[in-house]
Amino acid sequence: MRAAWLPRWLTTPPSRCAVCGAWPASALCAGCAAGFALPLHRCRLCALPLTGAAEVCGACLREPPPLDACFAAVSYAYPWSTLVARFKFSGEPGWAETFAGRMALVPGAAQELQRADLVLPLPLAPRRLAERGFNQALLLARSLAPARTEPRLLLRLRETGSQATLDRKARHLNMRHAFGVDPLRAAEVAGRAVLLVDDVMTSGASLHSAALALRQAGALRVSALVLARTDQPH
């Protein structure tokens, strides 16, 4: 038992930065957060990095995605890829608060969060949810906007298997009709602004499939906010 006269910092092990090991620090120290999360100019529809002053990339101009806006906090590279793996696969759900804080700092994300009537995490397939024990997207959404997060409005309709070995076209085909809105609650979506939340965006296939389902249910605006985005289209 801690002696009453001892300050808590003497008896409670300090946190160490998961990247540089500095302590005492938060799970991600300010120096590493600043050094590895430099803001990038990104396409406002797919969040891929852009050069120059254009707001929309050529691919989105040729084939507009079903998202009104898309925001990504960081590139899916070191150290974020390692930290996301710890979050998802090593039973460390406590990373959600740190990641959500980083997501909320993305230029425009705070305004999109305020604008959203509903914040919907991308649902996991039942088998994967059972393996992992939690839905990382749900933890992020609840950290961002607990009062407006609805975990059971958007449904996963079928198992899709791993996307890791598929190219962009195959990923999108694999995710077709993978999501749907609960038919008993479709009226909650009609005419509303919806923000989708996920941890990693690669090709955008999952987010686009979910966005199309929400459009079909009558959503007025559909946007997305993710922690990490791959810097190359897949």
Side-chain angles (χ1 to χ4, degrees):
M1 180 179 295
R2 180 176 68 91
W5 55 270
L6 285 174
R8 184 171 295 276
W9 64 268
L10 284 178
T11 57
T12 301
S15 296
R16 299 187 66 169
C17 174
V19 178
C20 70
W23 64 277
S26 58
L28 187 67
C29 74
C32 286
F36 290 106
L38 296 175
L40 294 178
H41 178 49
R42 296 178 179 273
C43 173
R44 65 177 176 82
L45 296 181
C46 73
L48 281 175
L50 289 177
T51 57
E55 292 190 5
V56 178
C57 71
C60 288
L61 287 174
R62 291 189 298 270
E63 188 178 350
L67 293 169
D68 293 292
C70 186
F71 305 90
V74 297
S75 296
Y76 188 61
Y78 179 85
W80 303 103
S81 55
T82 301
L83 299 180
V84 167
R86 289 179 56 172
F87 176 40
K88 293 167 66 170
F89 307 123
S90 298
E92 299 185 19
W95 279 103
E97 186 175 347
T98 296
F99 290 159
R102 182 57 46 186
M103 293 162 72
L105 294 176
V106 178
Q111 292 83 349
E112 198 68 33
L113 275 164
Q114 291 178 346
R115 186 175 193 171
D117 299 303
L118 297 166
V119 177
L120 304 184
L122 238 61
L124 286 177
R127 178 177 58 80
R128 186 159 297 178
L129 180 60
E131 291 172 354
R132 193 166 301 165
F134 62 91
N135 179 354
Q136 72 278 358
L138 174 56
L139 298 186
L140 292 172
R142 282 178 170 162
S143 294
L144 287 163
R148 285 169 290 151
T149 295
E150 291 287 345
R152 298 180 182 86
L153 188 55
L154 182 64
L155 306 176
R156 188 79 175 231
L157 301 181
R158 62 181 179 85
E159 296 269 2
T160 54
S162 173
Q163 300 251 97
T165 61
L166 304 180
D167 61 20
R168 184 179 185 279
K169 183 177 180 180
R171 285 171 184 255
H172 281 266
L173 287 173
N174 189 42
M175 294 305 301
R176 286 186 64 184
H177 309 303
F179 300 98
V181 174
D182 183 341
L184 298 179
R185 302 180 63 187
E188 297 178 38
V189 174
R192 313 295 289 278
V194 180
L195 178 64
L196 292 166
V197 172
D198 204 6
D199 59 329
V200 177
M201 180 179 181
T202 305
S203 67
S206 297
L207 289 168
H208 291 181
S209 178
L212 288 171
L214 291 165
R215 298 282 190 196
Q216 291 170 0
L220 184 64
R221 179 179 177 85
V222 183
S223 55
L225 174 58
V226 301
L227 170 67
R229 174 70 157 108
T230 56
D231 282 350
Q232 298 295 328
H234 287 71

